[in-house]
Amino acid sequence: MTQFISPLDDTLIRFDAAAALLANREPNATPDAMLEMLVQAAWRGDYNPPCQDEDNDYDHSQRDDPDNWLRIPIEAPSASLTEGQLSLKPRPFEYYEGSCETLLSVMYCMRLLPGDQSAWDDLLNNGNGRMYLHGAQDALTALVGLPLNTYSEAGRAYFAGLYIPRRMLQAWLDQRSSRFLRLFNHDEASDHHPITEPANDRHSHIVQTKRGRPTLGAWPSIAAWALELNESDPDMPRKELAGRLYERALQEFEAADVPNETTILRRLAGMLDNREPPMRGDA
């Protein structure tokens, strides 16, 4: 159980922040579309930990690894709250490691599932109060096929606040596309200086810089390419490297989302030597 997740924790990322970074890398997608993809994968059980009797996990080391579990926000138990806290709405919450069935249970109890609540009652309670003896798999299968816009605003906000280990998300993406290579994790040499910011605040992808300038969409990809090119040819002059990065960015992004070559050159020290934080919105 994790009671609090710091926005500085770069081992985890919120669903909405992950969706925003994915949309930056995929020009034909929106953050909402990427969030819907993550949600549907969660309902399918793609982010579930290994089963207790998994053949290749005899010592349960994979199941016990926190990098194999979603972090799901759940209201703090009533017994742990003071009388004054019990009257708060919303109540304080904590993060718990959970699976798709945990997510189903929590969202059902919070009445955040889409559509008619009485229909969910019939399916999940089966009219006898013994939840999940019947209907859980039917419910999960149905939820996989429901688009994000069928949920209430509160339901969508709940999905946005789920956390997923970056390593788990990257492994899941790598099985499906090479377009997102190393977007959420990197080689050991750069683990302490991630190429993408933790971005764990739900509004982080639209936050502006101190000078009021929005982040350009090409920066995350430019940072990733810079590391790759530098690893393959560490003796390449920085000016030549900046030129290559600029030309590649123009091929994959609109010109308005691409910083100029001079700015890329000026920021290479921060990307490769780790002497300054990641770029924020330079034109």
Side-chain angles (χ1 to χ4, degrees), residues 187-207:
D187 57 41
E188 294 181 359
S190 63
D191 273 350
H192 296 294
H193 304 280
I195 59 175
T196 56
E197 299 175 70
N200 281 340
D201 182 83
R202 66 173 298 186
H203 300 299
S204 61
H205 58 280
I206 60 172
V207 171

Side-chain angles (χ1 to χ4, degrees), residues 182 190 195 222-232 271-272:
R182 296 176 61 195
S190 63
I195 59 175
I222 290 173
W225 300 333
L227 289 176
E228 293 170 1
L229 289 173
N230 187 65
E231 288 174 0
S232 62
M271 287 184 274
L272 302 179

